[in-house]
Amino acid sequence: MRLRNEIGIALVLFLLPNLFFITQADSKCKAWLVQSIPTDMPQLRRVPGVLTTGDVLRWLAGNSTKGLDIIAQYWQLIANSKDPRSGDYGYSKSDMEKFGAFEGFGVYKAIENAADRNVSIRLLQHSGVYPDFTKEPNDLASGRLNVDNVTLLLGEWWGSGIVHAKVWISDSRDVYIGSANNDWKSLTQVKEVGIYLVGCKKIVGKVETYFENLWKLAHLNSSAYTRSVWDQQWQINRTVPCWSHFIDSKARCRSPLPTFVEVPHVAGYPVLSDPHMIKVPIKTPGQRFSTLEPYLSYLSFAPPELSFGKYQTDEQGWIDTIKSVGSGSTVRINTMDWLGQSQFTKEKVYWSSLSSAISEVIFSKHATVKVLVAYWAHFIDNTDQYLKSLLYSDILCNSSKYNKCHGKVEIKYYVVPGYNLTGPATRNGKRTGNKYPAFTRVNHGKYAVSDVRAHIGTSNLVWDYFYTTAGVSFGTYNPAIVLQLQKIFDADWDSPYAVPFEGLEAGHAFSS
């Protein structure tokens, strides 16, 4: 009996540290993938355990007790179907209920309630969009000393570009990073993907540093800190912050941002050979499969001049995710826009970074690369040509007797039903025939996932979003998150809403 008791005591003593670790890990960092799925898509398979964007944003505001920081491109959480200038104009009350417009109002009220609880709130955004511009954040800040609101015009710092990141930070411990704008339509009429991290202070602390950098820019005189330079890497004249690595090291100024990354100057922006990784256990309660092993995770940021410490640029995060694919395995890439050039600069940049990475893994690793691109009312016309050039990798792969190449590229367009019937219901007193409000019915997610690594971001795959525009990505090797993100992609890819690139190019019609 005594021996049995001693064995039992020894067993308890052995297990206690492990039980403590499990309890601590369970109470600290958890992650859920987050989606918005447009109404009227009955044939899209749902992925179990994925949260909805509206719920997550309400929780972030509702759970805030000390602070709430929000980075947004624009605000239109409150629908306005009675304003003739609005893309919602002319739809009935029952229409708006069917569209789910109440979800946006619920998120707005959650922020307003947090403000009324005296939570310290900071709102940072671009100048907004017509016709509301910055009305909503201005209203939230009006008469409240605990709410600060700033507009940051990145065009004054980089010659073009906007605040395009979509980030919510609550109490320095919880964060949303993803593709959803502060817009009611992003909750129920646009396909969005993001990640919700709870109790992940190590990760959230770095996102806060990026927020502080943007906040500091908004309060500086840009004319005192910018230079017009010949960009040696991209072969154009452009405006950059005076501490940019696109300026020769002898001509650079001292950065006003306290944790700016300092590395030797090279032509273009330096790539980090060992970008900082965060080793933290992440519990995934929304999935049957979860692990407490501390797999590596990371953050990446754009533009490069806002990188800090040893955190990588956002472009590098995307490229390294593509190159993480194993031999004979698959990389899945989802984006609204795909363009191998700049879109908004006066002089155009040719940009082949992602295309080159894709070609490399096709050749060297015999990888399959699946690319899903949105087709919608505001589709970029010359996208087809760049996708054709990407498909040419398949031809090159088998072009020589020296090649033993089994990799391939597969491309589909994602067509949300009703994409070509969006806009106000009434214009100049006449019915338009539109079925959905403007700027809806589109796959807006921005992410990539290989067989081992998931990357969830806020940037479209166009040069400007990586070099002149504010963006944030979270990535991880956590296998549970990787697997679930693959399932989200596969549900879209295998759905009738994903149309082979060749079919769309041939002029096939789509039902609405």
Side-chain angles (χ1 to χ4, degrees):
M1 175 68 77
R2 182 179 177 183
L3 178 61
R4 191 181 307 147
N5 289 341
E6 288 176 352
I7 292 172
I9 292 168
L11 184 61
V12 170
L13 291 173
F14 172 77
L15 287 174
L16 272 176
N18 296 286
L19 289 170
F20 176 78
F21 173 76
I22 291 170
T23 302
Q24 289 294 97
D26 186 62
S27 65
K28 284 186 177 178
C29 188
K30 304 181 183 73
W32 288 263
L33 291 183
V34 184
Q35 273 203 106
S36 299
I37 297 177
T39 59
D40 306 324
M41 295 185 71
Q43 293 176 278
L44 180 61
R45 184 174 73 249
R46 271 42 174 181
V47 178
V50 177
L51 302 178
T52 63
T53 308
D55 285 343
V56 167
L57 300 187
R58 282 195 304 274
W59 295 338
L60 280 161
N63 292 333
S64 297
T65 59
K66 298 177 182 177
L68 179 65
D69 293 335
I70 299 175
I71 308 174
Q73 180 188 348
Y74 65 91
W75 295 68
Q76 284 187 341
L77 288 170
I78 301 174
N80 191 354
S81 59
K82 295 184 179 180
D83 186 341
R85 303 170 301 165
S86 171
D88 307 339
Y89 182 61
Y91 291 100
S92 67
K93 183 178 179 181
S94 61
D95 286 335
M96 299 305 287
E97 289 177 354
K98 182 180 68 174
F99 296 148
F102 56 87
E103 291 281 352
F105 182 75
V107 172
Y108 183 89
K109 289 300 292 182
I111 302 171
E112 191 172 53
N113 291 340
D116 291 340
R117 295 195 308 271
N118 208 34
V119 173
S120 177
I121 298 176
R122 294 185 295 178
L123 311 174
L124 183 148
Q125 64 277 321
H126 186 58
S127 58
V129 293
Y130 182 86
D132 301 315
F133 298 103
T134 56
K135 182 181 185 305
E136 290 181 13
N138 288 343
D139 288 347
L140 287 166
S142 178
R144 293 186 173 101
L145 297 178
N146 59 310
V147 181
D148 287 328
N149 171 44
V150 299
T151 295
L152 172 58
L153 301 178
L154 288 192
E156 295 178 354
W157 289 88
W158 279 270
S160 64
I162 59 174
V163 174
H164 194 257
K166 300 92 168 58
V167 175
W168 288 51
I169 306 168
S170 173
D171 287 351
S172 299
R173 64 183 299 276
D174 307 336
V175 67
Y176 167 84
I177 299 170
S179 62
N181 288 304
N182 280 15
D183 179 358
W184 73 264
K185 292 170 279 194
S186 294
L187 308 180
T188 60
Q189 291 301 317
V190 176
K191 185 81 165 52
E192 310 281 9
V193 172
I195 191 161
Y196 175 43
L197 295 158
V198 174
C200 304
K201 291 188 176 182
K202 282 187 178 179
I203 296 167
V204 176
K206 302 306 177 184
V207 182
E208 279 188 310
T209 298
Y210 181 75
F211 180 94
E212 296 291 349
N213 285 348
L214 290 174
W215 194 259
K216 183 74 177 284
L217 285 191
H219 291 86
L220 291 174
N221 178 3
S222 60
S223 62
Y225 287 98
T226 53
R227 304 284 187 274
S228 295
V229 299
W230 170 252
D231 187 327
Q232 197 175 347
Q233 171 72 13
W234 299 111
Q235 294 290 292
I236 60 169
N237 291 293
R238 67 188 187 102
T239 300
V240 293
C242 59
W243 63 90
S244 173
H245 281 261
F246 291 104
I247 300 174
D248 187 87
S249 57
K250 294 178 182 178
R252 283 184 223 148
C253 71
R254 183 180 179 85
S255 170
L257 308 179
T259 54
F260 176 70
V261 62
E262 289 295 345
V263 288
H265 175 76
V266 296
Y269 208 81
V271 171
L272 297 175
S273 59
D274 57 341
H276 186 81
M277 294 283 172
I278 303 166
K279 196 171 186 180
V280 61
I282 300 177
K283 185 78 172 173
T284 50
Q287 303 176 60
R288 290 182 179 179
F289 166 62
S290 191
T291 176
L292 288 177
E293 187 172 338
Y295 287 94
L296 296 175
S297 299
Y298 65 89
L299 293 158
S300 58
F301 303 96
E305 291 81 6
L306 295 182
S307 297
F308 54 90
K310 290 183 69 177
Y311 285 86
Q312 63 200 312
T313 63
D314 204 28
E315 182 187 53
Q316 184 177 355
W318 280 88
I319 291 171
D320 287 353
T321 301
I322 294 169
K323 292 186 175 182
S324 71
V325 66
S327 180
S329 295
T330 300
V331 181
R332 298 161 171 87
I333 300 173
N334 186 94
T335 180
M336 182 177 81
D337 294 330
W338 177 283
L339 200 65
Q341 64 172 70
S342 61
Q343 185 177 1
F344 303 108
T345 56
K346 183 177 180 181
E347 299 167 287
K348 296 306 172 187
V349 170
Y350 175 71
W351 182 62
S352 59
S353 299
L354 298 191
S355 299
S356 294
I358 288 170
S359 296
E360 287 168 24
V361 299
I362 288 170
F363 270 74
S364 63
K365 294 184 174 179
H366 312 292
T368 296
V369 180
K370 295 182 176 181
V371 182
L372 191 57
V373 180
Y375 192 91
W376 69 307
H378 303 278
F379 179 75
I380 301 174
D381 289 339
N382 54 334
T383 298
D384 284 356
Q385 305 307 316
Y386 281 107
L387 293 178
K388 284 179 184 177
S389 70
L390 192 57
L391 283 174
Y392 197 69
S393 296
D394 288 354
I395 298 171
L396 295 176
C397 194
N398 298 292
S399 64
S400 168
K401 65 179 181 180
Y402 304 111
N403 292 355
K404 295 181 179 178
C405 180
H406 307 296
K408 61 180 178 179
V409 178
E410 298 176 10
I411 301 173
K412 289 185 179 182
Y413 278 130
Y414 199 85
V415 184
V416 177
Y419 80 96
N420 55 346
L421 294 172
T422 58
T426 304
R427 185 182 290 117
N428 298 324
K430 297 181 180 178
R431 303 298 292 180
T432 60
N434 290 323
K435 293 183 178 180
Y436 299 95
F439 293 96
T440 60
R441 318 305 291 174
V442 58
N443 180 26
H444 192 243
K446 303 98 166 50
Y447 66 87
V449 56
S450 71
D451 54 320
V452 296
R453 171 166 157 158
H455 179 96
I456 301 163
T458 67
S459 296
N460 291 311
L461 301 187
V462 180
W463 179 88
D464 311 71
Y465 288 88
F466 295 99
Y467 286 91
T468 68
T469 294
V472 180
S473 294
F474 170 80
T476 184
Y477 289 88
N478 183 295
I481 296 173
V482 168
L483 180 61
Q484 193 172 46
L485 191 57
Q486 289 174 347
K487 288 180 179 178
I488 289 174
F489 181 94
D490 290 345
D492 288 325
W493 184 267
D494 297 334
S495 76
Y497 311 116
V499 180
F501 171 63
E502 297 85 352
L504 184 54
E505 189 188 20
H508 290 193
F510 301 106
S511 62
S512 298

Coordinates of all heavy atoms in Angstrom, one line a residue, residues 406-469:
H406 N 7.2 18.4 -62.9 CA 5.9 17.9 -62.8 C 4.9 18.9 -62.1 O 3.8 18.5 -61.8 CB 5.9 16.5 -62.1 CG 6.8 15.5 -62.7 ND1 6.7 15.0 -63.9 CD2 8.0 15.0 -62.2 CE1 7.6 14.2 -64.2 NE2 8.4 14.1 -63.1
G407 N 5.4 20.1 -61.9 CA 4.6 21.1 -61.2 C 3.6 21.7 -62.2 O 3.7 21.5 -63.4
K408 N 2.7 22.5 -61.7 CA 1.7 23.1 -62.5 C 1.0 24.2 -61.8 O 1.0 24.3 -60.6 CB 0.6 22.1 -63.0 CG -0.2 21.5 -61.9 CD -1.2 20.5 -62.5 CE -2.0 19.8 -61.4 NZ -3.0 18.9 -61.9
V409 N 0.4 25.2 -62.6 CA -0.4 26.2 -62.1 C -1.9 26.0 -62.5 O -2.1 25.7 -63.7 CB 0.0 27.6 -62.6 CG1 -0.9 28.7 -62.1 CG2 1.5 27.9 -62.3
E410 N -2.8 26.2 -61.6 CA -4.2 26.1 -61.9 C -4.8 27.4 -61.4 O -4.6 27.9 -60.3 CB -4.9 24.9 -61.2 CG -4.3 23.6 -61.6 CD -4.9 22.4 -60.8 OE1 -5.9 22.7 -60.0 OE2 -4.4 21.3 -60.8
I411 N -5.7 28.0 -62.3 CA -6.3 29.3 -62.0 C -7.8 29.3 -62.2 O -8.3 28.7 -63.1 CB -5.7 30.4 -62.9 CG1 -4.1 30.5 -62.7 CG2 -6.3 31.8 -62.6 CD1 -3.5 31.5 -63.7
K412 N -8.5 29.8 -61.2 CA -9.9 30.0 -61.3 C -10.3 31.4 -60.9 O -9.6 32.0 -60.1 CB -10.7 29.0 -60.4 CG -10.6 27.5 -60.9 CD -11.4 26.6 -60.0 CE -11.4 25.2 -60.4 NZ -12.3 24.3 -59.6
Y413 N -11.4 31.9 -61.5 CA -12.0 33.1 -61.1 C -13.2 32.8 -60.1 O -13.9 31.8 -60.3 CB -12.6 33.9 -62.3 CG -11.6 34.7 -63.0 CD1 -11.5 34.6 -64.4 CD2 -10.7 35.6 -62.4 CE1 -10.6 35.4 -65.1 CE2 -9.8 36.3 -63.1 CZ -9.7 36.2 -64.4 OH -8.8 37.0 -65.1
Y414 N -13.3 33.6 -59.1 CA -14.4 33.4 -58.1 C -15.5 34.4 -58.4 O -15.3 35.6 -58.4 CB -13.9 33.6 -56.7 CG -14.8 33.0 -55.6 CD1 -14.6 31.7 -55.3 CD2 -15.7 33.8 -55.0 CE1 -15.4 31.1 -54.3 CE2 -16.5 33.2 -54.0 CZ -16.4 31.9 -53.6 OH -17.2 31.3 -52.7
V415 N -16.7 33.9 -58.8 CA -17.8 34.7 -59.2 C -18.9 34.6 -58.3 O -19.6 33.6 -58.2 CB -18.2 34.3 -60.7 CG1 -19.3 35.2 -61.2 CG2 -17.0 34.2 -61.6
V416 N -19.1 35.6 -57.4 CA -20.3 35.6 -56.5 C -21.5 36.0 -57.3 O -21.5 37.0 -58.0 CB -20.0 36.6 -55.4 CG1 -21.2 36.7 -54.4 CG2 -18.7 36.3 -54.6
P417 N -22.6 35.2 -57.1 CA -23.8 35.5 -57.9 C -24.3 36.9 -57.6 O -24.3 37.3 -56.5 CB -24.8 34.4 -57.3 CG -24.0 33.3 -56.8 CD -22.7 34.0 -56.3
G418 N -24.7 37.6 -58.7 CA -25.2 38.9 -58.6 C -24.1 40.0 -58.7 O -24.4 41.2 -58.6
Y419 N -22.9 39.6 -59.0 CA -21.7 40.5 -59.1 C -22.0 41.6 -60.1 O -21.5 42.7 -59.9 CB -20.4 39.8 -59.4 CG -20.3 39.5 -60.9 CD1 -19.6 40.3 -61.7 CD2 -20.9 38.3 -61.4 CE1 -19.5 40.0 -63.1 CE2 -20.8 38.1 -62.8 CZ -20.1 38.9 -63.6 OH -20.0 38.7 -64.9
N420 N -22.7 41.3 -61.2 CA -23.0 42.3 -62.2 C -24.3 43.0 -62.1 O -24.8 43.6 -63.0 CB -22.9 41.6 -63.6 CG -23.9 40.4 -63.7 OD1 -24.4 39.9 -62.6 ND2 -24.1 39.9 -64.9
L421 N -24.9 42.9 -60.9 CA -26.2 43.6 -60.6 C -26.1 44.3 -59.3 O -26.9 44.2 -58.4 CB -27.4 42.6 -60.6 CG -27.7 41.9 -61.9 CD1 -28.7 40.7 -61.7 CD2 -28.2 42.8 -63.0
T422 N -25.0 45.1 -59.2 CA -24.8 45.8 -57.9 C -24.8 47.3 -58.2 O -24.4 47.8 -59.2 CB -23.4 45.5 -57.3 OG1 -22.4 45.7 -58.3 CG2 -23.3 44.0 -57.0
G423 N -25.3 48.1 -57.2 CA -25.4 49.5 -57.3 C -26.8 49.9 -56.7 O -27.5 49.1 -56.2
P424 N -27.0 51.2 -56.7 CA -28.3 51.7 -56.1 C -29.5 51.1 -56.8 O -29.4 50.8 -58.0 CB -28.2 53.2 -56.2 CG -27.2 53.4 -57.3 CD -26.2 52.3 -57.2
A425 N -30.6 50.8 -56.1 CA -31.8 50.3 -56.7 C -32.5 51.3 -57.5 O -33.2 51.0 -58.5 CB -32.7 49.7 -55.6
T426 N -32.3 52.6 -57.2 CA -33.0 53.7 -57.9 C -32.0 54.8 -58.2 O -31.1 55.1 -57.4 CB -34.1 54.3 -57.0 OG1 -35.0 53.3 -56.6 CG2 -34.9 55.4 -57.7
R427 N -32.1 55.3 -59.4 CA -31.2 56.4 -59.8 C -32.0 57.4 -60.7 O -32.7 57.0 -61.6 CB -30.0 55.9 -60.7 CG -29.0 57.0 -61.0 CD -27.9 56.4 -61.9 NE -27.0 55.6 -61.1 CZ -26.8 54.3 -61.3 NH1 -27.4 53.7 -62.3 NH2 -26.0 53.6 -60.6
N428 N -32.0 58.6 -60.3 CA -32.8 59.7 -61.0 C -34.3 59.3 -61.1 O -34.9 59.5 -62.2 CB -32.2 59.9 -62.4 CG -30.8 60.4 -62.4 OD1 -30.4 61.2 -61.5 ND2 -30.0 60.0 -63.3
G429 N -34.8 58.7 -60.1 CA -36.2 58.4 -60.0 C -36.6 57.1 -60.7 O -37.8 56.8 -60.8
K430 N -35.7 56.4 -61.3 CA -36.0 55.2 -62.1 C -35.3 54.0 -61.5 O -34.2 54.1 -60.9 CB -35.5 55.4 -63.5 CG -36.2 56.5 -64.3 CD -35.7 56.6 -65.7 CE -36.4 57.7 -66.5 NZ -35.9 57.8 -67.9
R431 N -36.0 52.8 -61.6 CA -35.4 51.6 -61.1 C -34.2 51.2 -62.0 O -34.3 51.3 -63.2 CB -36.4 50.5 -61.1 CG -37.7 50.8 -60.2 CD -37.4 51.0 -58.8 NE -36.9 49.8 -58.1 CZ -36.6 49.7 -56.8 NH1 -36.6 50.8 -56.1 NH2 -36.2 48.5 -56.3
T432 N -33.1 50.7 -61.4 CA -31.9 50.4 -62.1 C -31.9 48.9 -62.5 O -31.2 48.5 -63.4 CB -30.7 50.7 -61.3 OG1 -30.7 49.9 -60.1 CG2 -30.6 52.1 -60.9
G433 N -32.6 48.1 -61.9 CA -32.6 46.6 -62.1 C -31.5 45.9 -61.2 O -31.3 44.7 -61.3
N434 N -30.8 46.7 -60.4 CA -29.8 46.1 -59.6 C -30.5 45.3 -58.4 O -31.5 45.7 -58.0 CB -28.9 47.2 -58.9 CG -28.0 47.8 -60.0 OD1 -27.5 47.2 -60.8 ND2 -27.8 49.2 -59.8
K435 N -29.8 44.3 -58.0 CA -30.3 43.4 -57.0 C -29.6 43.5 -55.6 O -30.1 43.1 -54.6 CB -30.3 41.9 -57.4 CG -31.2 41.6 -58.6 CD -31.1 40.1 -58.9 CE -32.0 39.7 -60.0 NZ -32.0 38.2 -60.3
Y436 N -28.4 44.1 -55.7 CA -27.6 44.3 -54.5 C -26.9 45.6 -54.4 O -26.7 46.2 -55.5 CB -26.5 43.2 -54.5 CG -27.0 41.8 -54.5 CD1 -27.1 41.1 -55.7 CD2 -27.4 41.1 -53.3 CE1 -27.6 39.8 -55.7 CE2 -27.8 39.8 -53.3 CZ -28.0 39.2 -54.5 OH -28.4 37.9 -54.5
P437 N -26.6 46.2 -53.2 CA -26.0 47.5 -53.1 C -24.6 47.5 -53.8 O -24.0 46.4 -54.1 CB -25.8 47.7 -51.6 CG -26.9 46.8 -51.0 CD -27.0 45.6 -51.9
A438 N -24.1 48.7 -54.0 CA -22.8 48.9 -54.7 C -21.6 48.3 -53.9 O -21.7 48.2 -52.7 CB -22.6 50.4 -55.0
F439 N -20.6 47.9 -54.6 CA -19.4 47.4 -54.1 C -19.6 46.2 -53.2 O -19.2 46.1 -52.0 CB -18.6 48.5 -53.3 CG -18.0 49.5 -54.2 CD1 -18.8 50.7 -54.4 CD2 -16.9 49.3 -54.9 CE1 -18.3 51.7 -55.3 CE2 -16.4 50.3 -55.8 CZ -17.1 51.5 -56.0
T440 N -20.4 45.2 -53.7 CA -20.7 44.0 -53.0 C -20.5 42.8 -53.9 O -20.0 43.0 -55.1 CB -22.1 44.0 -52.5 OG1 -23.0 44.1 -53.6 CG2 -22.4 45.1 -51.5
R441 N -20.8 41.6 -53.4 CA -20.7 40.4 -54.3 C -19.4 40.1 -54.8 O -19.2 40.0 -56.0 CB -21.8 40.4 -55.4 CG -23.2 41.0 -54.9 CD -23.8 40.3 -53.8 NE -24.2 38.9 -54.1 CZ -24.6 38.0 -53.2 NH1 -24.7 38.3 -51.9 NH2 -25.0 36.8 -53.6
V442 N -18.4 40.1 -53.9 CA -17.0 39.9 -54.4 C -16.2 39.0 -53.3 O -16.5 39.1 -52.1 CB -16.3 41.2 -54.6 CG1 -16.2 42.1 -53.4 CG2 -14.8 41.0 -55.1
N443 N -15.3 38.2 -53.8 CA -14.4 37.5 -52.9 C -13.2 38.4 -52.6 O -12.4 38.7 -53.5 CB -13.9 36.2 -53.6 CG -12.9 35.4 -52.8 OD1 -13.0 35.5 -51.5 ND2 -12.1 34.6 -53.4
H444 N -13.2 38.9 -51.4 CA -12.3 40.0 -51.0 C -11.1 39.5 -50.1 O -10.2 40.2 -49.7 CB -13.1 41.0 -50.2 CG -12.4 42.3 -50.0 ND1 -12.1 42.8 -48.7 CD2 -11.9 43.3 -50.8 CE1 -11.5 44.0 -48.8 NE2 -11.4 44.3 -50.1
G445 N -11.1 38.2 -49.8 CA -10.0 37.6 -48.9 C -8.6 37.7 -49.5 O -8.5 37.6 -50.8
K446 N -7.6 37.8 -48.7 CA -6.2 37.8 -49.1 C -5.4 36.9 -48.3 O -5.0 37.2 -47.1 CB -5.6 39.2 -49.0 CG -6.4 40.3 -49.7 CD -7.3 41.1 -48.8 CE -7.9 42.4 -49.4 NZ -8.5 42.3 -50.7
Y447 N -5.1 35.7 -48.8 CA -4.4 34.7 -48.0 C -3.7 33.7 -48.9 O -4.0 33.5 -50.1 CB -5.3 34.0 -47.0 CG -6.3 33.1 -47.5 CD1 -6.1 31.8 -47.8 CD2 -7.6 33.6 -47.8 CE1 -7.1 31.0 -48.4 CE2 -8.6 32.8 -48.3 CZ -8.3 31.5 -48.6 OH -9.3 30.7 -49.1
A448 N -2.7 33.0 -48.3 CA -2.0 31.9 -49.0 C -1.8 30.8 -48.0 O -1.6 31.1 -46.8 CB -0.7 32.4 -49.6
V449 N -1.8 29.6 -48.4 CA -1.6 28.5 -47.5 C -0.9 27.3 -48.3 O -1.4 26.9 -49.3 CB -2.9 28.0 -46.8 CG1 -4.0 27.6 -47.8 CG2 -2.6 26.9 -45.8
S450 N 0.3 26.9 -47.8 CA 1.0 25.8 -48.3 C 0.6 24.5 -47.5 O -0.4 24.6 -46.7 CB 2.5 26.0 -48.3 OG 3.0 25.9 -47.0
D451 N 1.3 23.5 -47.7 CA 1.0 22.3 -46.9 C 1.5 22.4 -45.4 O 1.1 21.6 -44.6 CB 1.7 21.0 -47.5 CG 3.2 21.2 -47.7 OD1 3.6 22.3 -48.2 OD2 4.0 20.3 -47.5
V452 N 2.3 23.5 -45.1 CA 2.9 23.6 -43.8 C 2.7 25.0 -43.2 O 2.9 25.2 -42.0 CB 4.4 23.3 -43.8 CG1 4.6 21.8 -44.1 CG2 5.2 24.2 -44.7
R453 N 2.3 26.0 -43.9 CA 2.3 27.3 -43.4 C 1.1 28.1 -44.0 O 0.7 28.0 -45.1 CB 3.6 28.0 -43.9 CG 3.7 29.5 -43.7 CD 5.1 30.0 -43.8 NE 5.2 31.4 -44.2 CZ 6.3 32.1 -44.0 NH1 7.4 31.5 -43.5 NH2 6.3 33.4 -44.3
A454 N 0.4 28.9 -43.1 CA -0.7 29.7 -43.4 C -0.3 31.2 -43.3 O 0.4 31.6 -42.3 CB -1.9 29.4 -42.5
H455 N -0.8 32.0 -44.2 CA -0.5 33.4 -44.2 C -1.8 34.2 -44.5 O -2.4 34.0 -45.6 CB 0.5 33.7 -45.3 CG 0.9 35.1 -45.5 ND1 2.0 35.7 -44.9 CD2 0.3 36.2 -46.2 CE1 2.1 37.0 -45.2 NE2 1.1 37.3 -45.9
I456 N -2.3 35.0 -43.6 CA -3.5 35.7 -43.7 C -3.3 37.2 -43.6 O -2.7 37.7 -42.7 CB -4.5 35.3 -42.5 CG1 -4.7 33.8 -42.6 CG2 -5.8 36.1 -42.6 CD1 -5.2 33.2 -41.3
G457 N -3.6 37.9 -44.7 CA -3.2 39.3 -44.8 C -4.4 40.3 -45.1 O -5.6 39.9 -45.1
T458 N -4.0 41.5 -45.4 CA -4.9 42.6 -45.8 C -4.6 43.2 -47.1 O -5.3 44.2 -47.5 CB -4.9 43.7 -44.7 OG1 -3.6 44.3 -44.7 CG2 -5.0 43.1 -43.3
S459 N -3.6 42.7 -47.8 CA -3.1 43.3 -49.1 C -3.6 42.6 -50.3 O -3.4 41.3 -50.4 CB -1.6 43.4 -49.1 OG -1.2 44.3 -48.0
N460 N -4.0 43.3 -51.3 CA -4.2 42.8 -52.7 C -2.9 42.5 -53.3 O -1.9 43.1 -53.0 CB -5.0 43.7 -53.5 CG -6.5 43.9 -53.1 OD1 -7.2 42.9 -52.8 ND2 -6.9 45.1 -52.9
L461 N -2.8 41.6 -54.2 CA -1.6 41.2 -54.8 C -1.2 42.0 -56.0 O -1.2 41.6 -57.2 CB -1.6 39.7 -55.2 CG -1.9 38.8 -54.0 CD1 -1.8 37.3 -54.3 CD2 -1.1 39.1 -52.8
V462 N -0.9 43.3 -55.7 CA -0.5 44.3 -56.6 C 0.7 45.1 -56.0 O 0.7 45.3 -54.7 CB -1.7 45.3 -56.9 CG1 -1.3 46.4 -57.8 CG2 -2.9 44.5 -57.4
W463 N 1.6 45.5 -56.7 CA 2.9 46.2 -56.2 C 2.6 47.2 -55.1 O 3.2 47.3 -54.1 CB 3.7 46.8 -57.3 CG 5.0 47.4 -56.9 CD1 6.2 46.9 -56.7 CD2 5.1 48.8 -56.6 NE1 7.1 47.8 -56.3 CE2 6.5 49.0 -56.2 CE3 4.3 49.9 -56.5 CZ2 7.0 50.3 -55.8 CZ3 4.8 51.2 -56.1 CH2 6.1 51.3 -55.8
D464 N 1.6 48.1 -55.4 CA 1.4 49.3 -54.6 C 1.0 48.9 -53.1 O 1.4 49.6 -52.2 CB 0.2 50.1 -55.1 CG 0.3 50.4 -56.6 OD1 0.1 49.4 -57.4 OD2 0.5 51.5 -56.9
Y465 N 0.4 47.7 -53.0 CA -0.1 47.3 -51.6 C 1.1 46.9 -50.7 O 1.0 46.8 -49.5 CB -1.1 46.2 -51.7 CG -2.4 46.7 -52.2 CD1 -2.7 46.7 -53.6 CD2 -3.4 47.1 -51.4 CE1 -3.9 47.2 -54.1 CE2 -4.6 47.6 -51.9 CZ -4.8 47.7 -53.2 OH -6.0 48.2 -53.7
F466 N 2.3 46.6 -51.4 CA 3.4 46.2 -50.6 C 4.5 47.3 -50.4 O 5.3 47.2 -49.5 CB 4.1 45.0 -51.3 CG 3.2 43.8 -51.3 CD1 2.5 43.5 -52.4 CD2 3.1 43.0 -50.2 CE1 1.6 42.4 -52.4 CE2 2.2 41.9 -50.1 CZ 1.5 41.6 -51.3
Y467 N 4.4 48.4 -51.2 CA 5.4 49.4 -51.2 C 4.9 50.8 -50.8 O 5.7 51.7 -50.5 CB 6.2 49.4 -52.5 CG 7.1 48.2 -52.5 CD1 6.7 47.0 -53.1 CD2 8.4 48.3 -52.0 CE1 7.6 45.9 -53.1 CE2 9.2 47.2 -52.0 CZ 8.8 46.0 -52.5 OH 9.6 44.9 -52.5
T468 N 3.6 51.1 -50.9 CA 3.1 52.4 -50.6 C 1.9 52.4 -49.8 O 1.3 53.4 -49.5 CB 2.8 53.2 -51.9 OG1 1.6 52.6 -52.6 CG2 4.0 53.2 -52.9
T469 N 1.4 51.2 -49.4 CA 0.1 51.1 -48.7 C 0.3 50.3 -47.4 O 1.0 49.4 -47.3 CB -0.9 50.3 -49.6 OG1 -1.1 51.2 -50.8 CG2 -2.2 50.0 -49.0

